[in-house]
Amino acid sequence: DAGVIQSPRHEVTEMGQEVTLRCKPISGHNSLFWYRQTMMRGLELLIYFNNNVPIDDSGMPEDRFSAKMPNASFSTLKIQPSEPRDSAVYFCASRPQGLEQFFGPGTRLTVL
Amino acid sequence: AQSVSQHNHHVILSEAASLELGCNYSYGGTVNLFWYVQYPGQHLQLLLKYFSGDPLVKGIKGFEAEFIKSKFSFNLRKPSVQWSDTAEYFCAVTLYNQGGKLIFGQGTELSVKP
């Protein structure tokens, strides 16, 4: 198995632009999580899905952030408009029923 | 609110020294406990986990951790560190009936001098 796949690995954009991060979970995993990692705040859960349904989005910073999971093999995290304070590494993780999470390589986002 | 506290932000050791990283959590109910490692520039990898049973858990690369329920602790140990253990270590908790979302500690950066 290729593991959790994220794209792009690096993204540099200008303030105000739309950013879309993508994640392909491990096949057969029924839960998907989006995390953000910054020096100041560490690792924070943004949102997670069970069976493609958003369960808890209380960690999403504000309305500029949105996430979708249209099917079991794909999820997106969108930031519109982006701001410099959104600069971080965004991790996607997936999990089979009841077991530990497997993390993707992350997307390093820089908003200028 | 539930939280995870890691006592040390940065630990510097020489090779062959023993390691213990502290982790405490604040939640009175049933928990699952994890230690993840993040090598420089890489993603998080699971070192070990505790779900139930023997509170002394052995993980990969010679790491182990002990769950002490009365102290709400899950400290990570390794008897003899190597230079290749240089990384950031995260303790994390999932709460029963919370859908498996991880609550992470702030992380401990370990630097091992050759």
Side-chain angles (χ1 to χ4, degrees), chain A:
Chain A
D1 198 319
V4 176
I5 299 172
Q6 290 186 247
S7 65
R9 294 292 308 276
H10 301 272
E11 176 81 29
V12 180
T13 190
E14 293 186 343
M15 182 174 63
Q17 296 298 306
E18 177 181 295
V19 174
T20 299
L21 311 182
R22 297 172 176 81
C23 175
K24 176 178 168 54
I26 294 172
S27 177
H29 288 193
N30 66 335
S31 297
L32 183 141
F33 304 78
W34 282 101
Y35 293 89
R36 178 172 67 176
Q37 185 179 34
T38 62
M39 289 290 291
M40 291 297 295
R41 299 174 67 90
L43 274 157
E44 305 172 278
L45 176 69
L46 299 177
I47 185 171
Y48 76 95
F49 298 82
N50 275 351
N51 297 317
N52 313 338
V53 176
I55 302 300
D56 183 348
D57 65 354
S58 59
M60 296 285 263
E62 48 197 273
D63 291 346
R64 298 185 296 106
F65 285 68
S66 62
K68 294 182 180 179
M69 192 165 186
N71 56 61
S73 60
F74 184 65
S75 177
T76 59
L77 177 68
K78 187 176 292 187
I79 309 172
Q80 165 63 16
S82 58
E83 297 182 3
R85 61 193 167 116
D86 302 330
S87 297
V89 180
Y90 292 81
F91 288 103
C92 176
S94 69
R95 184 185 75 129
Q97 182 70 31
L99 298 178
E100 73 267 21
Q101 295 179 28
F102 295 79
F103 283 77
T107 295
R108 183 174 295 277
L109 173 65
T110 302
V111 183
L112 303 174

Side-chain angles (χ1 to χ4, degrees), chain A residues 9 31 33 35 37 40-43 45 48 50 56 58 91 95 98-106, chain B residues 32 34 36 38 41-46 49 51 88 90 94 97-106 109:
Chain A
R9 294 292 308 276
S31 297
F33 304 78
Y35 293 89
Q37 185 179 34
M40 291 297 295
R41 299 174 67 90
L43 274 157
L45 176 69
Y48 76 95
N50 275 351
D56 183 348
S58 59
F91 288 103
R95 184 185 75 129
L99 298 178
E100 73 267 21
Q101 295 179 28
F102 295 79
F103 283 77
Chain B
N32 296 324
F34 306 82
Y36 281 86
Q38 187 177 28
Q42 296 190 25
H43 62 286
L44 281 85
Q45 302 171 44
L46 183 68
K49 62 183 184 247
F51 281 14
E88 190 155 15
F90 294 91
T94 61
N97 249 359
Q98 293 283 311
K101 64 180 184 180
L102 285 164
I103 301 171
F104 281 94
Q106 283 296 96
E109 185 180 347

Side-chain angles (χ1 to χ4, degrees), chain B residues 21-92:
Chain B
L21 301 182
C23 173
N24 287 90
Y25 63 93
S26 62
Y27 181 67
T30 303
V31 295
N32 296 324
L33 298 152
F34 306 82
W35 276 97
Y36 281 86
V37 61
Q38 187 177 28
Y39 297 103
Q42 296 190 25
H43 62 286
L44 281 85
Q45 302 171 44
L46 183 68
L47 268 181
L48 47 79
K49 62 183 184 247
Y50 172 81
F51 281 14
S52 64
D54 189 343
L56 184 61
V57 179
K58 294 194 184 298
I60 60 171
K61 305 186 180 187
F63 287 91
E64 66 177 31
E66 185 174 12
F67 171 48
I68 303 179
K69 189 173 182 180
S70 60
K71 295 184 178 180
F72 299 91
S73 71
F74 190 55
N75 292 355
L76 181 71
R77 299 194 291 250
K78 185 171 183 178
S80 176
V81 295
Q82 301 172 322
W83 177 78
S84 58
D85 294 324
T86 295
E88 190 155 15
Y89 293 80
F90 294 91
C91 181

